[in-house]
């Protein structure tokens, strides 16, 4: 942790995603609060996800920190930019799930989240990577990809977190297992699975826990493979998944490490923090302490 007092005035690049669930929320009062706390804000609306790192790099000499206004997909898009510039990142949670904010205990109340940035307390967190694509929370294949396809912006805006449950019900009705080979420092295994998830943080999918003892500062990845024959048994396991205790079930394979490789019989799409970005074969790794973020006491 860094507890040194921040300079009297700091310059912030505020990136706003107008398409996030709370993207139409008025930020004027938040900007005024930041300014009163010594943070002068320059607002930029986000371009496409692949343009966001360039936006941050282009303004690196005009800012002392980056404030990202949006959900987990927006934070994911900003990851490469904050890594390349070394600028600390503040979070104003304005998405649907806000899982990274939940992991870091940043409240969804924007005034309180702004106060955390003003206080200036920083810590460094890990960043996951799959085939060159960053992720803060989780990268996964199988059920989660079908779920991501069903969670359209319209569904998120209308139903919020309930949209996850509605989309999950539709996905489970059509779920099919796929063949995969999982390679890690602990060896290699073959599996028939409904989903493989590799977590870097703690929360994903609107508050589900990737592993009971996981943190986003432990320098490791947490993997699970959901190897159910009867997909409806998943309903009995939901409580365990919410608590990160799914590994207690025989049908769930778990592993921990710094590197994983996953191969499938046919290319499978991979979802990182809510967006589909790459396919198998896939190589997963972790970059310990790659990003500095503002956190509460």
């Amino acid at each position: 942790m860094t507890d040194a007092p921040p300079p009297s005035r700091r310059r912030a690049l505020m990136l706003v995603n107008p398409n996030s669930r709370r993207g139409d929320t008025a930020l004027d009062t938040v900007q005024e609060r930041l300014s009163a706390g010594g943070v002068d804000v320059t607002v930029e609306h986000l371009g496409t996800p692949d343009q966001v790192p360039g936006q941050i790099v282009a303004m690196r000499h005009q800012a002392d920190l980056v404030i990202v206004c949006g959900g987990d997909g927006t934070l994911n898009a900003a990851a490469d930019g904050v890594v390349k510039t070394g600028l600390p990142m503040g979070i104003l949670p304005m998405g649907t799930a806000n899982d990274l904010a939940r992991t870091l205990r940043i409240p969804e109340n924007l005034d309180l989240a702004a106060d955390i940035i003003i206080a200036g307390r920083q810590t460094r967190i890990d960043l996951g990577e799959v085939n060159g694509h960053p992720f803060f929370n989780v990268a996964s294949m199988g059920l989660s990809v079908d779920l991501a396809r069903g969670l359209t912006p319209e569904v998120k805006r209308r139903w919020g977190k309930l949209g996850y449950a509605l989309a999950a019900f539709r996905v489970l009705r059509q779920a099919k297992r796929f063949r995969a080979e999982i390679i890690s420092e602990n060896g290699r295994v073959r599996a028939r699975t409904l989903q493989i998830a590799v977590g870097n943080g703690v929360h994903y999918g609107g508050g589900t826990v990737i592993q009971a003892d996981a943190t986003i500062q432990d320098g490791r990845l947490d993997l699970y493979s959901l190897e159910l024959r009867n997909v409806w048994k998943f309903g009995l396991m939901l409580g365990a998944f919410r608590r990160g205790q799914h590994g207690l079930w025989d049908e769930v394979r778990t592993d921990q490490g710094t590197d994983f490789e996953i191969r499938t019989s046919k290319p499978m799409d991979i979802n990182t923090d809510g967006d589909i970005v790459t396919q198998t074969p896939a190589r997963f790794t972790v970059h310990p302490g790659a990003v500095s973020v503002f956190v509460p006491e």
Side-chain angles (χ1 to χ4, degrees):
M1 295 287 186
T2 301
D3 292 310
S8 56
R9 298 208 70 81
R10 292 171 291 164
R11 303 165 300 166
L13 169 63
M14 179 182 281
L15 299 173
V16 179
N17 180 6
N19 298 317
S20 67
R21 184 164 180 257
R22 298 169 64 192
D24 56 355
T25 300
L27 289 171
D28 292 346
T29 58
V30 175
Q31 293 177 49
E32 292 171 2
R33 194 180 191 92
L34 288 166
S35 179
V39 181
D40 298 320
V41 173
T42 299
V43 177
E44 288 284 325
H45 282 86
L46 293 171
T48 60
D50 60 340
Q51 293 173 331
V52 175
Q55 288 181 274
I56 297 173
V57 171
M59 298 188 69
R60 65 186 302 173
H61 299 301
Q62 303 173 47
D64 303 305
L65 63 139
V66 176
I67 300 174
V68 182
C69 308
D72 292 305
T74 307
L75 291 162
N76 183 295
D80 275 342
V82 294
V83 169
K84 289 176 180 176
T85 61
L87 293 173
M89 182 174 71
I91 300 173
L92 293 181
M94 297 176 65
T96 304
N98 299 314
D99 282 309
L100 179 57
R102 189 190 311 269
T103 291
L104 298 174
R105 302 178 187 272
I106 296 172
E108 292 192 3
N109 180 292
L110 298 184
D111 287 340
L112 296 180
D115 287 343
I116 291 170
I117 298 169
I118 292 168
R121 182 178 176 85
Q122 298 177 37
T123 192
R124 302 199 69 87
I125 62 173
D126 304 339
L127 184 66
E129 180 183 303
V130 53
N131 291 352
H133 297 274
F135 62 95
F136 283 110
N137 303 319
V138 72
S140 54
M141 65 195 74
L143 292 177
S144 61
V145 171
D146 297 330
L147 180 61
R149 290 194 179 105
L151 279 171
T152 63
E154 293 75 19
V155 170
K156 290 181 179 180
R157 285 183 181 274
R158 181 175 181 182
W159 298 104
K161 293 176 183 177
L162 179 60
Y164 280 87
L166 296 174
F169 178 76
R170 289 194 294 268
V171 166
L172 285 171
R173 291 176 59 188
Q174 304 174 3
K176 294 182 179 179
R177 294 192 297 171
F178 60 92
R179 297 182 183 275
E181 182 180 30
I182 304 170
I183 304 167
S184 73
E185 56 203 64
N186 298 317
R188 67 176 65 205
V189 296
R190 296 182 184 275
R192 293 192 66 190
T193 180
L194 290 166
Q195 171 160 299
I196 298 174
V198 179
N200 170 64
V202 179
H203 296 285
Y204 71 104
T208 301
V209 176
I210 190 67
Q211 173 64 31
D213 64 346
T215 77
I216 199 167
Q217 297 174 300
D218 54 18
R220 78 175 192 218
L221 300 172
D222 295 276
L223 177 147
Y224 77 77
S225 173
L226 182 60
E227 298 170 13
L228 289 173
R229 292 182 179 273
N230 183 350
V231 68
W232 295 110
K233 190 174 181 180
F234 183 63
L236 302 175
M237 305 165 68
L238 284 176
F241 269 92
R242 294 294 290 183
R243 297 187 298 271
Q245 297 175 333
H246 41 276
L248 298 176
W249 288 76
D250 293 338
E251 296 90 344
V252 182
R253 184 190 308 275
T254 61
D255 200 356
Q256 297 175 342
T258 57
D259 293 275
F260 292 101
E261 185 176 350
I262 297 177
R263 303 170 183 171
T264 53
S265 53
K266 60 179 181 180
M268 298 282 297
D269 288 337
I270 297 175
N271 164 19
T272 59
D273 294 342
D275 292 314
I276 300 167
V277 298
T278 187
Q279 290 185 317
T280 56
R283 179 71 180 268
F284 301 77
T285 191
V286 63
H287 301 283
V291 176
S292 182
V293 293
F294 293 98
V295 292
E297 295 290 337

